[in-house]
Amino acid sequence: MANSQKQKRHCVVINWGLVAYQDAWLRQKSLVTERISNPDLEDILILSEHFPVYTLGTGASTDFLKFDYDESTSAKSDLKREVYRVERGGEVTYHCPGQLVGYPILNLRYYQQDLHWYLRQLEEVIIRTVATYGLNAERISGLTGVWLEGKKIAAIGIKVRRWITMHGFALNVCPDLTGFQDIVPCGIIDKPVGSLNEFIPNLTVAEVRVKLIRSFAEVFNVELENKVD
């Protein structure tokens, strides 16, 4: 049981829908700052999709970009692609519509103050969600994320400040995967990226979102409340 308290912790679920990555990033940082100032605030699970964008973790190498990118300039309007370096762990990844992105804003003091444990819990949420379709997703030892028949279907990258989490996971439901061709996803050269709709045609983000919310509640042992934002 993730949350060892007898009484389940309250967690609000907010669906941001299709939103620009930068807007979601700024709003996350604001929510985390509020909770650092007031650790008693409720936990939040934000779910969204993004317009096409590439993000690099704090220590990510630009060698994994297959296009020219001058990080010394902020003139992103000169790029054909939108790129951000953010404070999460991990290498480069790609977001686009059809990908279910989750940003849990949790106070780990109420769960376990262990980042490896937290990463494994996020993987478990994905694995249980996929299992509802009769598919056996899995972890790969030494790597972070979730794979299905050798294809990476979910990437995970987090940031934790004073035990308040931000960033999170991205599950490929029915995206256009061609954007991944311009990078080495997560810096992993020998493992392809895949999506759920390769195994289950006509799958939608809305359908998977409902199942993922249930899996999240089970894994983290929380009482969820849906909220319109």
Side-chain angles (χ1 to χ4, degrees), residues 183-196:
I183 60 173
V184 179
C186 303
I188 302 173
I189 297 173
D190 59 345
K191 291 180 173 58
V193 172
S195 62
L196 284 179

Side-chain angles (χ1 to χ4, degrees), residues 49 94 96-101 153 170-178 180 194-209:
E49 296 176 68
Y94 175 65
C96 65
Q99 183 186 71
L100 179 56
V101 181
I153 58 166
L171 172 60
N172 295 332
V173 178
C174 52
D176 179 353
L177 295 176
T178 57
F180 284 99
S195 62
L196 284 179
N197 73 333
E198 295 178 56
F199 302 88
I200 305 172
N202 304 316
L203 206 55
T204 66
V205 169
E207 177 186 337
V208 175
R209 184 168 57 237

Side-chain angles (χ1 to χ4, degrees), residues 83-100:
V83 183
Y84 295 99
R85 184 178 289 277
V86 299
E87 61 275 75
R88 64 165 173 79
E91 292 289 342
V92 63
T93 194
Y94 175 65
H95 299 302
C96 65
Q99 183 186 71
L100 179 56

